[in-house]
Amino acid sequence: MEKAIIISRCSTNESRQDVTRQSLELQSNYSGSYEIVKEFSYYLSGTKNDEVNSEILEYAIANNVKHIIALET
């Protein structure tokens, strides 16, 4: 089974919206098709997340992860 990473992100803070629903939905939809090796969950504007994106990409490369799964909401 190929490795995958899940990304759950929201641009608003935790008190306004929770990324748990995204995580659960992605786990439910893809855990049978991929080995989910890590999940990244964070609250940050899409225009300000370069550092997190770099961390995710570095992890994927270092761990031979072929798939990065996210949910647009």
Side-chain angles (χ1 to χ4, degrees):
M1 193 173 289
E2 292 189 349
K3 296 178 183 178
I5 294 171
I6 286 179
I7 300 173
S8 301
R9 183 192 72 82
C10 183
S11 60
T12 61
N13 63 29
E14 299 163 47
S15 65
R16 292 188 56 203
Q17 197 168 23
D18 188 5
V19 296
T20 303
R21 181 196 55 80
Q22 290 180 41
S23 297
L24 292 174
E25 187 174 332
L26 291 169
Q27 285 280 353
S28 175
N29 290 341
Y30 294 100
S31 63
S33 302
Y34 302 106
E35 176 189 357
I36 307 298
V37 294
K38 187 156 177 81
E39 183 173 336
F40 291 87
S41 298
Y42 61 97
Y43 297 86
L44 196 60
S45 169
T47 62
K48 299 178 182 176
N49 63 1
D50 288 345
E51 187 175 315
V52 177
N53 287 341
S54 292
E55 178 187 351
I56 293 167
L57 185 56
E58 287 174 18
Y59 181 90
I61 292 168
N63 293 281
N64 198 32
V65 174
K66 301 291 184 193
H67 305 277
I68 298 175
I69 305 167
L71 182 66
E72 182 181 357
T73 58

